[in-house]
Amino acid sequence: MNMNTIKTVTLGLGLLVGSSAIAQKSDLVNAILEYQKTPKQAAEKDYTSLVKTLLTAEGYIDGVLDHEQTKKGTKDGAKAHYYYGAIYFDLAKYAEIPKLAADFSAFSNEATLNKAIDALNYAYTNGKGRVTGDVETFVLIKAQQLSADATVSFKDSSYLSSFENFAFAYDLKKRVLGQDDADTKTNAQVAASNALYQLKKEGNSEKTLAFINEAYEIFPGDLALASEGVQVALKSGNEDKAMEYANSALEANKDNALAYGTFGTVFLSEGKEDKAEQFLIKATELEPTNIDYQYNLGALYIGKGQKLQEGLRDLDLGDPRRMKMEKEVEDTYAKAVAPLEVYLSQEPDNLQVVRTLMQVSNFAGDEEKKQMYYKKMQELKNK
């Protein structure tokens, strides 16, 4: 190959590269021009034109984003990502409309929304000036629309739909703009609480757990959702799943007495005393003056003592196991005394707790405390 040939090939490649860059620029412009037609078409419910226009815009923008120069971050990279995100976001949302579902069926999935959100986040993070402002405006308008739809659904008692829209509005702002919108989050949690009430009334634990999983992914570590998950999982016999929720929430709420107390109470209500004991002991260690945790821990030991007593009644008087079990009964009831006394220290005139302490002391073989609480019980009765 002579020098003239080499020069010609090199120049030819230069022209090809330049032509490709121009083509990508043209595709971006065409994608923008097509997309800008869609708001009016949607407002006028001109769905035939909307479908054609949005799919045409999608075809243009795909080519732009696939181009190597855009991936490396050219000056139009952020803008391309913004329009890619906006177009794909609308494709996913329009796919939810029954009249458009068939035309946009390929985009009716979570992957489409994730692509849109990732692109919008890229544009917001890497863009400057107008691009960043455009992304923010786009996201805030979409979030406002979602919240408005959620409010209508809530008023219609369609709590599941309400939650999905509030949660998506919250998630959209957080993932793209990094905003933790407390008001939208609270609205989503209220809607979730109402949706859970409806689902539990239906009695479909599988459907209920699926909803809790979806909500928990958006609000990881949320104690209310986790405790609901624990309860539903335990009722359906899935203790492993219950512990998965509990451990996840405890990881997010380290050394949180409320978290331990909540899970202790839920496990106790479902008859899982060993797990409940661990949680309640930790709760009382973290917050010794909380009488609810102390009372529940005392109630747990009373329940355990009663079960042991029932087993003791089934043993013959000469059974060699009897002495060991009698000691176990006394020790278990003795454990109930301390937490109940903490409760009584804050409610000294609570007759029911005094009576319970008298009975528990008796079963624990503590005659002195039994007499002390008997005397106190009489004093309260005579007040």
Side-chain angles (χ1 to χ4, degrees):
M1 182 180 288
N2 60 40
M3 186 62 70
N4 288 334
T5 304
I6 293 173
K7 286 179 180 178
T8 303
V9 171
T10 305
L11 286 171
L13 286 173
L15 287 171
L16 286 171
V17 172
S19 298
S20 178
I22 292 169
Q24 298 308 315
K25 181 80 172 180
S26 176
D27 282 349
L28 177 57
V29 172
N30 287 331
I32 294 170
L33 291 174
E34 291 297 313
Y35 181 68
Q36 287 175 344
K37 299 174 187 176
T38 61
K40 183 180 178 183
Q41 292 168 343
E44 294 174 351
K45 296 184 179 179
D46 182 2
Y47 294 133
T48 301
S49 297
L50 176 64
V51 170
K52 182 180 178 182
T53 305
L54 198 54
L55 289 176
T56 301
E58 181 252 339
Y60 282 127
I61 203 67
D62 276 349
V64 175
L65 215 68
D66 284 341
H67 188 246
E68 186 179 357
Q69 283 183 301
T70 303
K71 287 181 180 177
K72 288 182 178 178
T74 64
K75 64 179 181 179
D76 288 326
K79 181 190 284 188
H81 278 80
Y82 163 54
Y83 279 100
Y84 182 92
I87 290 167
Y88 268 84
F89 185 94
D90 283 0
L91 285 167
K93 296 309 289 179
Y94 284 134
E96 297 175 0
I97 298 175
K99 288 183 178 179
L100 303 177
D103 294 299
F104 293 134
S105 60
F107 308 101
S108 181
N109 52 68
E110 191 174 343
T112 300
L113 276 174
N114 283 333
K115 285 197 295 186
I117 291 172
D118 289 345
L120 289 167
N121 176 256
Y122 178 95
Y124 186 74
T125 304
N126 296 281
K128 295 179 181 179
R130 182 173 177 178
V131 172
T132 302
D134 285 347
V135 175
E136 184 173 17
T137 299
F138 177 88
V139 168
L140 293 178
I141 288 173
K142 295 298 182 183
Q144 186 177 34
Q145 291 170 344
L146 287 164
S147 292
D149 291 343
T151 302
V152 172
S153 296
F154 192 91
K155 289 178 180 177
D156 291 339
S157 299
S158 300
Y159 299 120
L160 188 56
S161 175
S162 178
F163 165 76
E164 288 173 347
N165 282 308
F166 274 132
F168 188 27
Y170 171 82
D171 197 43
L172 181 63
K173 285 192 277 188
K174 186 172 184 180
R175 289 174 63 185
V176 177
L177 307 178
Q179 293 182 7
D180 190 357
D181 186 340
D183 290 340
T184 306
K185 182 177 182 179
T186 298
N187 288 338
Q189 290 170 325
V190 172
S193 178
N194 283 274
L196 274 170
Y197 179 76
Q198 288 182 331
L199 287 168
K200 287 194 289 186
K201 279 184 69 175
E202 293 176 13
N204 187 331
S205 59
E206 189 174 333
K207 186 177 178 182
T208 304
L209 274 176
F211 171 75
I212 294 171
N213 282 335
E214 177 190 347
Y216 198 73
E217 284 181 11
I218 299 171
F219 304 118
D222 185 275
L223 280 179
L225 286 171
S227 64
E228 290 284 1
V230 167
Q231 190 169 56
V232 174
L234 287 176
K235 285 185 182 296
S236 62
N238 192 344
E239 190 170 340
D240 288 341
K241 186 64 179 176
M243 283 303 299
E244 185 181 317
Y245 278 121
N247 289 332
S248 171
L250 290 170
E251 181 66 26
N253 298 273
K254 293 182 182 295
D255 294 333
N256 185 313
L258 177 61
Y260 283 98
T262 297
F263 295 130
T265 301
V266 174
F267 273 90
L268 180 59
S269 69
E270 297 302 322
K272 304 296 180 180
E273 293 175 338
D274 290 341
K275 288 285 194 309
E277 182 179 3
Q278 295 173 26
F279 288 132
L280 288 171
I281 287 175
K282 183 66 175 178
T284 57
E285 289 173 353
L286 291 169
E287 198 174 328
T289 58
N290 187 301
I291 60 175
D292 292 330
Y293 307 153
Q294 297 287 358
Y295 186 88
N296 287 340
L297 184 59
L300 182 150
Y301 288 127
I302 291 172
K304 276 190 165 186
Q306 289 171 339
K307 289 179 182 178
L308 287 169
Q309 277 184 317
E310 290 172 7
L312 188 60
R313 293 189 191 103
D314 294 334
L315 296 180
D316 294 333
L317 290 175
D319 194 306
R321 295 171 296 173
R322 190 174 182 84
M323 184 176 295
K324 181 181 179 182
M325 188 171 283
E326 286 175 346
K327 180 71 166 59
E328 193 174 355
V329 168
E330 288 187 352
D331 290 346
T332 302
Y333 275 116
K335 290 180 181 178
V337 173
L340 291 176
E341 286 182 330
V342 174
Y343 188 101
L344 188 65
S345 69
Q346 295 187 47
E347 292 192 15
D349 294 336
N350 191 313
L351 180 61
Q352 181 59 46
V353 175
V354 172
R355 180 184 287 110
T356 300
L357 275 165
M358 180 195 71
Q359 294 167 341
V360 167
S361 298
N362 180 46
F363 292 137
D366 191 332
E367 185 64 24
E368 183 179 345
K369 281 199 173 183
K370 170 191 167 183
Q371 293 299 328
M372 180 181 74
Y373 286 117
Y374 175 80
K375 182 179 178 182
K376 184 170 181 62
M377 183 177 69
Q378 297 303 319
E379 290 173 354
L380 290 173
K381 283 183 177 180
N382 294 327
K383 269 192 173 183

